[in-house]
Amino acid sequence: MGIQGWQWILILLVILLLFGAAKLPALAKSMGQSARAFKGEMKAMREEDEKPTAESAVAPPAPDAKRSDGSGPPSATP
């Protein structure tokens, strides 16, 4: 069912009438910059999510270490 060729032409004609021929290149440039920024942020978020898992695999916490809230095992020193 989808959009046929004549429907695309009608959509483009409406966009041209709404924005004008002079503003279309600026609009396309702005949309491209926005898409590039979005992709960059998504990549940074993925890298940030992967970073903590790699660090936790390198240095797991010691099981006998006393926690900072004092709930660790009692020390042998009086």
Side-chain angles (χ1 to χ4, degrees):
M1 198 161 171
I3 296 178
Q4 297 174 357
W6 68 272
Q7 292 170 330
W8 281 111
I9 294 172
L10 183 63
I11 291 170
L12 291 174
L13 182 64
V14 169
I15 291 172
L16 183 63
L17 288 173
L18 287 174
F19 294 105
K23 291 192 177 186
L24 285 179
L27 179 65
K29 180 181 178 183
S30 174
M31 288 177 61
Q33 289 174 343
S34 298
R36 194 175 312 120
F38 179 75
K39 286 180 184 179
E41 290 296 322
M42 291 298 292
K43 182 179 178 182
M45 288 177 64
R46 269 188 245 117
E47 289 173 354
E48 187 176 293
D49 286 344
E50 292 171 357
K51 186 178 179 181
T53 58
E55 288 177 356
S56 64
V58 172
D64 294 348
K66 188 173 183 179
R67 290 191 272 176
S68 61
D69 61 357
S71 63
S75 63
T77 320

